Amino acid sequence: ESLVAYTPVAASGWKVAAVIPKSFIQAEINDLRITMLLIGAACLLLSALIAYLISLGVSIPGRMLRAQMKRVNDGDLNLAWADPHKDEMGAISAGFNEMAGTLRTLLARVAASSDYLREQSG
């Protein structure tokens, strides 16, 4: 029911012995178990918070992009969406702005061609 530990004392030939009760060892083990559970719970909460913040970094610009896409779908091509970040969503916003500009240019060319054909046919 106890742990007996000993060690020799240098230069004397003596040995020091200690008797450690099992209850003391169990108490230390229980304290370590509780500490490990608390650290694990804190790490789990921290990782959940980090995952939530990362998801906001994608979902908020995604919602903004969907709103801009709806405006383009409704016929409003005179818009520019500026995402100041240099991540994937920033690249997507730059591509979206380029696409809207290309559509404006194509529609202007079609309108010019239509006006030209109307003049020529008149």
Side-chain angles (χ1 to χ4, degrees):
E1 296 298 315
S2 298
L3 173 68
V4 177
Y6 73 94
T7 186
V9 177
S12 69
W14 288 71
K15 293 186 179 161
V16 175
V19 178
I20 304 169
K22 184 177 179 181
S23 61
F24 180 77
I25 296 171
Q26 284 296 98
E28 289 295 317
I29 290 172
N30 288 337
D31 287 346
L32 285 173
R33 182 178 294 134
I34 290 170
T35 302
M36 288 176 58
L37 287 173
L38 290 175
I39 290 172
C43 288
L44 181 65
L45 289 174
L46 183 63
S47 64
L49 177 65
I50 291 171
Y52 176 72
L53 292 175
I54 289 172
S55 72
L56 284 180
V58 173
S59 67
I60 291 173
R63 276 186 250 138
M64 292 171 59
L65 178 61
R66 282 195 308 268
Q68 297 298 330
M69 290 170 66
K70 183 173 178 354
R71 287 179 59 191
V72 168
N73 191 39
D74 292 340
D76 182 11
L77 295 177
N78 296 318
L79 56 91
W81 176 45
D83 187 2
H85 300 100
K86 301 293 183 214
D87 57 0
E88 289 83 8
M89 291 308 288
I92 290 172
S93 71
F96 178 83
N97 290 335
E98 185 178 335
M99 177 196 67
T102 302
L103 287 174
R104 278 192 303 271
T105 302
L106 288 174
L107 286 176
R109 285 182 184 170
V110 167
S113 294
S114 174
D115 290 344
Y116 176 77
L117 287 174
R118 190 176 317 117
E119 288 175 9
Q120 292 299 318
S121 66

